[in-house]
Amino acid sequence: MSLRILVLTNLFPTRWDPHRGAFNRQQFERLGQRHEVEVITAVPLPERLRGRGAGEPLKIAGLRLRTFVFVYLPRVARSLHALFWAVSLLAQQGWHLLRGRYDCVLASWAYPDAAAAGWLARRMGWPYVVKVHGSDLNVQAEDPARRPQIRKALVEARAVVAVSRALADKAVALGVAPARVHVVYNGVDHARFSPGSQPEARRRLDLPGDVPVLLYVGNLKASKGCMDLLEAFAPVAEARPGAQLVFVGAGECRDALRARADELGLGAAVRLVGATPHADLPDWFRSATLLCLPSHNEGVPNVVLEAMACGIPVVATRVGGIPEVVPGEAGLLVPVRDRDALAEALVEAIALPWDTGRILEHARQFSWERNLQSLSDILEAAAADSPLPTSLPT
């Protein structure tokens, strides 16, 4: 059964931010091999004005791509962002949507995306599915003004797709019928993310060959725990002279990380790589002794799955869905914001004799093939027996 699916989200690459939402790109690109998929991505107004990274329009085989500028008031009236999102979408893409005749809408991110997309879908008579990822429920749904909007979007959706059991439980707590909540873990491209020679990877990346290399991959923002990791690295560097800490990613904490590393006398041991294409990440994983992601809240970060698929152990915080996917044979988990515990875990993880075979065996269960079959089944069920409108309702 082939569907015409409309995806509405902010979590997808654009010409202004080509590295955003790599997990969604991988999933939707594969979904486009089974169905006719159109992705309309919200580009925040400040990002559009800065023109950051603006290159040629993005083209992805099998997908029809469009964007709109999400116009809103920065730092104020966040409870109205769903309204701004919907108005921005309709003002710029309304006539296109009117002609769309979609079988199903997939809104990826609860607020403001799903709150706005759900409002539109209900008025158009389109069945819709919401995919939740992490802080959209862990953080935004805790806000008293946004929580009712998120609840309505989820409760009235045909289905809610959660990337972890922890998020699924939060959706149920919001009032969604348990039978309509589905846990679908993200997948890994095992052809790309696989074990390889650490010495060769380090040589290509200009990393020393005989010292521990701790790797962080993700946005450089405080809620991802990057500052916690830097502080926890100081005793590691003292215990293991020559150890390196590598941050792969971009974000608001970059300058603070560099300044603090210099204050701690770790400037030479800390490397800030910047944003990196997803296709280049395997070498960074293969070069690492371990991956560390001390986030304050999470769904299930794909970098954790990809690191394990390369045979690399993980040190992470015990938040969100991370405990569901990182068993004891694949990593160590610590309490959130506990820098002392994090430092101890890093030192311990460096010294442990990890069984790469067991890590790889565990990682193999996370595949895009399994993910896409589950998601496709959910979307097909949502679209079944749904009449298609011919015009915008008044």
Side-chain angles (χ1 to χ4, degrees):
M1 176 182 180
S2 181
L3 303 176
R4 189 171 191 185
I5 300 169
L6 170 64
V7 177
L8 295 172
T9 186
N10 76 90
L11 289 175
F12 198 78
T14 67
R15 62 192 296 185
W16 297 279
D17 190 355
H19 304 301
R20 184 167 178 78
F23 49 89
N24 268 348
R25 173 173 181 158
Q26 294 177 84
Q27 186 183 59
F28 299 158
E29 190 172 9
R30 289 167 172 80
L31 188 64
Q33 297 171 6
R34 301 185 179 210
H35 302 283
E36 185 179 343
V37 178
E38 179 174 19
V39 182
I40 301 183
T41 307
V43 180
L45 177 60
E47 180 178 298
R48 180 64 181 84
L49 292 176
R50 287 194 303 268
R52 177 167 58 91
E56 293 297 317
L58 192 68
K59 294 181 180 180
I60 299 177
L63 298 178
R64 291 183 299 154
L65 305 178
R66 301 176 77 92
T67 62
F68 71 96
V69 179
F70 170 31
V71 181
Y72 63 98
L73 300 175
R75 295 184 293 277
V76 298
R78 290 192 175 184
S79 62
L80 297 178
H81 278 194
L83 173 62
F84 294 147
W85 206 98
V87 170
S88 299
L89 172 64
L90 289 174
Q92 298 166 58
Q93 299 289 345
W95 285 113
H96 176 75
L97 293 172
L98 179 62
R99 299 190 297 268
R101 297 183 62 82
Y102 304 103
D103 296 310
C104 187
V105 174
L106 174 60
S108 181
W109 194 252
Y111 190 87
D113 310 40
W119 176 87
L120 174 64
R122 291 191 295 271
R123 280 149 184 79
M124 290 294 290
W126 295 329
Y128 71 96
V129 173
V130 175
K131 185 155 73 98
V132 293
H133 295 269
S135 59
D136 49 350
L137 292 194
N138 292 331
V139 178
Q140 300 214 46
E142 297 302 311
D143 180 86
R146 282 170 269 175
R147 186 177 181 86
Q149 300 178 64
I150 295 172
R151 177 190 295 115
K152 185 173 182 64
L154 270 58
V155 167
E156 299 198 12
R158 293 289 178 89
V160 174
V161 176
V163 299
S164 72
R165 170 52 55 191
L167 280 177
D169 291 343
K170 293 209 168 190
V172 171
L174 280 168
V176 185
R180 291 194 292 110
V181 180
H182 307 268
V183 178
V184 181
Y185 293 109
N186 278 345
V188 175
D189 182 349
H190 290 276
R192 174 175 291 172
F193 294 92
S194 59
S197 168
Q198 185 180 88
E200 291 180 8
R202 290 192 178 187
R203 191 159 46 248
R204 286 190 290 268
L205 298 172
D206 194 27
L207 288 169
D210 56 353
V211 299
V213 174
L214 282 60
L215 177 67
Y216 170 100
V217 179
N219 292 326
L220 301 183
K221 56 183 183 179
S223 63
K224 288 289 185 179
C226 57
M227 299 303 298
D228 297 335
L229 175 56
L230 178 59
E231 297 292 340
F233 178 66
V236 176
E238 183 177 350
R240 299 296 298 265
Q244 299 279 299
L245 174 59
V246 178
F247 289 95
V248 176
E252 60 196 31
C253 287
R254 179 182 177 88
D255 291 343
L257 285 167
R258 173 51 62 202
R260 183 59 178 153
D262 291 341
E263 288 177 6
L264 294 170
L266 298 172
V270 176
R271 182 169 171 181
L272 297 167
V273 174
T276 300
H278 188 252
D280 294 342
L281 289 181
D283 260 358
W284 286 106
F285 289 126
R286 292 168 188 147
S287 72
T289 306
L290 58 87
L291 174 79
C292 186
L293 191 66
S295 296
H296 298 171
N297 63 79
E298 277 292 354
V300 171
N302 249 50
V303 294
V304 167
L305 307 182
E306 291 164 350
M308 293 188 296
C310 293
I312 304 304
V314 174
V315 174
T317 39
R318 194 178 291 105
V319 296
I322 292 178
E324 301 171 35
V325 300
V326 181
E329 66 267 23
L332 301 177
L333 302 182
V334 300
V336 67
R337 296 186 178 90
D338 190 334
R339 295 175 177 180
D340 291 338
L342 178 59
E344 292 174 6
L346 293 173
V347 172
E348 180 182 356
I350 290 170
L352 282 173
W354 297 99
D355 186 332
T356 301
R358 293 185 69 189
I359 296 174
L360 294 173
E361 182 180 1
H362 169 70
R364 289 189 189 101
Q365 67 182 293
F366 303 104
S367 71
W368 282 120
E369 291 75 17
R370 179 180 296 181
N371 173 285
L372 260 294
Q373 187 60 58
S374 297
L375 180 62
S376 186
D377 289 346
I378 292 165
L379 293 170
E380 289 177 18
D385 302 321
S386 300
L388 291 172
T390 57
S391 63
L392 279 169
T394 58

